[in-house]
Amino acid sequence: MNYNLIVQAESIATQSLKQLAKLSGAHEIQSISQQAFRLAGANPDSQAAVASFCDAAAVDYGFVPATRRLSDFGLVVMDMDSTLITIECIDEIADMIGVKPQVAQITEAAMRGELDFAESLTRRVALLAGLDESALQRVYDERLRLSPGAEKMLGMLQRHNIKTLLVSGGFTFFTERLKARLGLDYAASNTLEVVNGELSGRVLGKIVDAQGKADHLDRIRTELGLTHAQVVAMGDGANDLKMLGAAGVSIAYHAKPVVRAQANYALNFSGLDAAIPLLGI
């Protein structure tokens, strides 16, 4: 199989492109945009040398089959917190009640895979008991920001009729608003219980954990009549690993080391729109 090497960064020097072409054995350098280049005819056996060079130069890279086309895909599945958006919503909710350090510590351990996700979520949500429901809207209005390149990526997917699923271990308050705002096709997440206008400290129903994310991916894939190879998944934490494993192409976005090690591609320096060149021409 023939491969192209896709390299992306805010700025890539011509000399760096030439060096990468030499390292990878590519025979042509093609410009995709000001931030992305395709090195045609690259040898994937050069990955170790390419990875070393790119890491040192703060460049994202990926070996992509030359025959791959964006039209090969029918569904892109995204994590929410620290992937589609820049924050961890539960940490910011916790800040409203003065327990952000305690919650963030549990969040980080769960993201690294050191804690069972369902257990970690139950512990974190319990710390939110008594918080006025209006704090959720404040987090959405004042702190929630889309990751760089998110709207550009979604626009390209929508123009190619590729369906989108936002699946999160976070909360429906945020996923449903993002679904409506961004024109996403599907969303799945957890529901915080509210009693008399305050958070009760409990989650309603079955928690969407790592297996739950993979199950939602498989459910929507089946509904759409797609194969495993036609699905792309993007995430950043250990809770995303099963979902990433259920997709034909997996992309780690500004992710924990355990996720970068297991995904097909890692975007460490670029925005979400850098996913598009990895999905072919």
Side-chain angles (χ1 to χ4, degrees), residues 72-83:
D72 294 340
F73 300 98
L75 175 66
V76 171
V77 184
M78 300 160 287
D79 172 49
M80 180 176 68
D81 297 284
S82 298
T83 301

Side-chain angles (χ1 to χ4, degrees), residues 24-95:
S24 66
H27 59 74
E28 184 182 1
I29 300 172
Q30 303 167 349
S31 175
I32 300 173
S33 69
Q34 289 184 324
Q35 289 81 37
F37 296 85
R38 181 186 301 109
L39 279 58
N43 182 353
D45 291 340
S46 67
Q47 176 151 343
V50 168
S52 179
F53 183 94
C54 287
D55 287 346
V59 172
D60 288 320
Y61 75 94
F63 287 91
V64 175
T67 56
R68 179 182 288 170
R69 298 291 183 269
L70 193 56
S71 57
D72 294 340
F73 300 98
L75 175 66
V76 171
V77 184
M78 300 160 287
D79 172 49
M80 180 176 68
D81 297 284
S82 298
T83 301
L84 182 63
I85 64 175
T86 60
I87 64 170
E88 292 287 328
C89 288
I90 192 167
D91 294 356
E92 301 308 317
I93 298 168
D95 198 31

Side-chain angles (χ1 to χ4, degrees), residues 166-263:
L166 181 61
V167 62
S168 174
F171 308 117
T172 53
F173 185 92
F174 302 101
T175 56
E176 289 302 316
R177 281 163 176 74
L178 287 167
K179 178 175 178 283
R181 170 180 166 186
L182 299 171
L184 305 177
D185 296 289
Y186 310 95
S189 54
N190 297 300
T191 301
L192 290 167
E193 183 181 56
V194 177
V195 178
N196 297 324
E198 296 181 345
L199 302 188
S200 70
R202 293 185 294 271
V203 175
L204 296 174
K206 185 178 180 182
I207 288 176
V208 177
D209 57 6
Q211 187 59 53
K213 286 187 170 189
D215 290 345
H216 281 293
L217 180 155
D218 285 332
R219 177 177 58 82
I220 299 299
R221 179 185 61 77
T222 300
E223 282 183 16
L224 295 173
L226 300 173
T227 66
H228 171 267
Q230 291 176 288
V231 180
V232 180
M234 307 175 65
D236 70 303
N239 192 45
D240 298 315
L241 286 173
K242 289 185 177 181
M243 174 183 80
L244 295 174
V249 172
S250 56
I251 301 173
Y253 180 73
H254 293 226
K256 302 300 180 186
V258 66
V259 182
R260 295 198 303 266
Q262 295 185 44

Side-chain angles (χ1 to χ4, degrees), residues 7-23:
V7 293
Q8 305 183 81
E10 187 172 333
S11 177
I12 307 177
T14 300
Q15 190 56 42
S16 294
L17 289 171
K18 290 179 177 178
Q19 181 63 22
L20 282 165
K22 182 178 179 181
L23 286 172

